[in-house]
Amino acid sequence: KQEVTQIPAALSVPEGENLVLNCSFTDSAIYNLQWFRQDPGKGLTSLLLIQSSQREQTSGRLNASLDKSSGRSTLYIAASQPGDSATYLCAVGNSGYSTLTFGKGTMLLVSP
Amino acid sequence: NAGVTQTPKFQVLKTGQSMTLQCAQDMNHEYMSWYRQDPGMGLRLIHYSVGAGITDQGEVPNGYNVSRSTTEDFPLRLLSAAPSQTSVYFCASSYSWTGRVNIQYFGAGTRLSVL
């Protein structure tokens, strides 16, 4: 059974810092990996999707990397802003269908 | 283009009552799924569908039924609500590309309390 772990569970940083969120998974036979953002009381918004054949994806200040062999992914956020405050979820696509296994998330607080 | 729409947003049930959580998407996505989110547990897959008429169980299917008669709709039925089903329920959809699922789009969620 696939298990996804996210470290740290919570992170508080001052505005402007670069930061890294970590995600690890136990079964390297994945189809893809997605990073989501969730604001309090809201749904999930997909930030980046990395297919199993890719090593990284970038969108604006966000960069996600994938190392299947070691079962790790990182989400790098450059020049953090208060608007980045949210919970960030890592989810692994386990099959050719829509099944995702989620980590418990990292709650990020960026202070002005 | 509304994306994924879930209704109702909030619901309170008594133990033993039944209800249906509605999910509709207007993106012509083949894949749809239901997750529940509980504190300290993360999101867990309940049921999913790879197309009209095709459904399958996820990690926590007990106490829930689904059917998919159209591409657009994927309702989740609680047969006899229990306090353990108090949770936030999310519906998601995605298209497929070369047979693989791509970006998942989530609804805003239904917050359910069972007393």
Side-chain angles (χ1 to χ4, degrees), chain B residues 11-20 63 77-82 85 112-115:
Chain B
Q11 184 70 50
V12 179
L13 291 178
K14 295 181 180 179
T15 298
Q17 288 184 318
S18 62
M19 79 160 294
T20 299
R77 298 181 186 83
L78 280 68
L79 307 173
S80 177
Q85 293 179 303
L112 175 67
S113 291
V114 182
L115 306 177

Side-chain angles (χ1 to χ4, degrees), chain A residues 1 31-32 34 36 38 41-44 46 49 51-52 89 96-100 102-104, chain B residues 31-33 35 37 40 42-43 45 48 50 59 90 99-104 106-108 111:
Chain A
K1 178 185 172 185
Y31 273 46
N32 57 39
Q34 292 187 60
F36 292 89
Q38 185 176 28
K42 304 291 186 182
L44 282 68
S46 181
L49 179 144
Q51 299 290 358
S52 60
L89 297 165
Y97 301 127
S98 58
T99 58
L100 292 176
F102 281 84
K104 296 179 181 179
Chain B
Y31 300 125
M32 297 185 74
S33 49
Y35 294 85
Q37 185 175 35
L43 281 91
L45 181 67
Y48 66 99
V50 301
E59 181 184 355
F90 289 102
R100 291 191 175 190
V101 168
N102 277 266
I103 294 173
Q104 298 239 3
F106 279 75
R111 284 149 185 80

Side-chain angles (χ1 to χ4, degrees), chain A residues 37-58:
Chain A
R37 169 185 172 136
Q38 185 176 28
D39 293 288
K42 304 291 186 182
L44 282 68
T45 301
S46 181
L47 298 173
L48 290 165
L49 179 144
I50 310 176
Q51 299 290 358
S52 60
S53 58
Q54 297 175 318
R55 296 300 296 268
E56 66 177 340
Q57 281 284 348
T58 298

